[in-house]
Amino acid sequence: MAWQGLRAAGRFLADLAWPPVCPLAGDPVDRVGHVSPSVWSRLTFLDAPWCDLCGWPFPYPGGSGGSAAAVCANCAANPPRYDRARAPLAYDAAASPLVVGFKHGDRREMIAPFARWMARAGQDCLDGADALVPVPLHWRRLISRRYNQSALLGRALGELTGLPLWTDTLLRRRATPSQAGRTARMRRRNMAAAFHVPQPEQVRDRHLVLIDDVVTTGATVSACARQLKRAGAASVRVVALCRVVRETDPTI
């Protein structure tokens, strides 16, 4: 308890010296990691009803099938490799600066609220899980970027949920080109044989949750889930910060 008091006091003194501001609008906010009301009102948060598999939001309860566990047309035609995916935030013009600043600009002040949003939206993925597994970066990209944004999200989510974060369970063996601007088929080809599980015995019969920043077509998380299941994982679910919900050409 003492360390929590010291941490709170340190945060209070830091806020006095450097008053917190909204990371997008620059307006004063009550604490670091909060956004201004104008920015908050533009963010699109996702919630049920959504596809039971991929989390695609439905415009009305029951989705296209009218059942409690409705599945979108895309998942019905092409079931994903993962068992379920959830994300709290739609990736659009309002969310893009938050994500890009975090992913490429070393803006980490929003990690704590990101994790809270992910925990809430991904509760049905996190229940019964054994561990969190971040989508890995290739070592060359990790050196140039200096951090793996999925691992940072996973660490914060682990602190909230008590789940361990396994950062060496899934590795990227191939340095794939950026997915930005690629079609769904091109993204799947780009991810082919990109990942591997160095110690299959670690994941055998385990219920795992993949952590990612943005799910676009699902090609990356599907490729990860495929390798984890090949290694013996009992289930692989996905919790991401954002997902694309429109057929756009996202620059991420």
Side-chain angles (χ1 to χ4, degrees), residues 57-81:
F58 290 134
Y60 49 87
S64 57
S67 65
V71 174
C72 70
N74 186 58
C75 285
N78 302 287
R81 298 285 184 175

Side-chain angles (χ1 to χ4, degrees), residues 19-31 34-39 42:
V21 297
C22 172
L24 295 186
D27 300 330
V29 292
D30 59 346
R31 63 183 301 177
H34 286 192
V35 295
S36 66
S38 61
V39 171
R42 295 197 300 270

